[in-house]
Amino acid sequence: MKKILVLFSHPKFESSRANAVLVDHIKDIEGVTFHDLYERYPDFHIDVPAEKALLDQHDVIIWHHPLYWYSCPPLMKQWMDMVLEFNWAYGPKGKALQSKICFNTITAGGSRDLYCSAGTNTFSVNEFLRPFEQTAKLCGMTFYPPFAVMGTHQLTNDELIQHAHQYSSLIDLLQQGVTVGDFKGCAFLNDIPQLNTN
């Protein structure tokens, strides 16, 4: 069974209804390590050796965060800047993350149809996540499309719970070894057939 590390970054987690539901459904799954960066590092002083050790122990890395100004909150960016060091994560001797799976789980207030060339945000979610994709590729990881919960302010509790069930089912599929070929052509992991059987 693959081990999964959820690197969670939300500076206002206590006021995020969507993330509270998502996190509640996955944080206690066997084989999943839920790592709240803002809880662990409120002073932004990241313990780099400890973070590297965590990465070493897991097969799948999930960057779970709200979409803040088309990117991630600052502590996650700080984590990437500090932990993904030259000749450890990338570079001639940087092989530590080779062949691990990586993707973003994001929440956004804007609906899916706003993230396109005809929408107010002009670009797709996947286009905004290109820096994460390139980071993963530079580090030799396999980058998957995002799991995205869009239009969070308009979602009912039942709709949020449905997304949370999808998230936990996705975790189960990843632990079983789902591969990139299983969701070829899907913009979001939410769209894979295995999560939409009802």
Side-chain angles (χ1 to χ4, degrees):
M1 182 175 70
K2 291 186 182 295
K3 294 183 178 178
I4 297 176
L5 175 61
V6 179
L7 291 167
F8 180 73
S9 180
H10 199 314
K12 299 180 73 177
F13 181 34
E14 69 281 355
S15 62
S16 175
R17 184 174 62 106
N19 280 285
V21 175
L22 291 174
V23 167
D24 189 56
H25 277 73
I26 60 96
K27 65 183 175 67
D28 296 319
I29 296 175
E30 184 181 356
V32 172
T33 301
F34 178 75
H35 188 41
D36 185 337
L37 294 178
Y38 275 92
E39 182 178 84
R40 178 70 179 83
Y41 301 116
D43 56 3
F44 276 57
H45 292 154
I46 294 171
D47 184 340
V48 172
E51 295 301 307
K52 287 180 176 179
L54 263 182
L55 289 167
D56 282 336
Q57 296 161 19
H58 295 82
D59 308 296
V60 179
I61 314 302
I62 302 175
W63 289 316
H64 182 153
H65 60 91
L67 198 61
Y68 270 19
W69 283 106
Y70 313 113
S71 187
C72 62
L75 184 53
M76 180 161 285
K77 181 60 168 65
Q78 173 92 340
W79 181 93
M80 296 172 81
D81 291 343
M82 300 298 294
V83 177
L84 304 181
E85 292 182 324
F86 180 72
N87 274 341
W88 184 82
Y90 69 101
K93 299 177 183 177
K95 309 297 183 187
L97 304 176
Q98 289 279 326
S99 302
K100 293 184 188 290
I101 292 167
C102 185
F103 67 92
N104 301 75
T105 288
I106 64 162
T107 55
S111 59
R112 193 167 178 168
D113 60 345
L114 297 179
Y115 287 86
C116 65
S117 59
T120 55
N121 291 313
T122 309
F123 301 102
S124 70
V125 167
N126 303 71
E127 288 173 309
F128 284 121
L129 294 178
R130 284 285 170 80
F132 295 92
E133 180 178 3
Q134 177 55 26
T135 298
K137 287 185 175 181
L138 185 66
C139 295
M141 295 191 281
T142 300
F143 188 74
Y144 284 1
F147 181 86
V149 180
M150 311 295 293
T152 54
H153 305 306
Q154 285 77 44
L155 294 177
T156 66
N157 287 337
D158 286 344
E159 288 170 328
L160 278 176
I161 289 170
Q162 183 179 357
H163 282 294
H165 285 312
Q166 280 190 320
Y167 194 21
S168 61
S169 295
L170 174 62
I171 297 285
D172 184 57
L173 288 171
L174 291 164
Q175 289 180 323
Q176 294 173 28
V178 66
T179 65
V180 69
D182 294 319
F183 49 80
K184 189 175 182 180
C186 294
F188 292 167
L189 289 177
N190 316 50
D191 299 333
I192 65 174
Q194 298 96 315
L195 300 183
N196 295 281
T197 55
N198 294 335

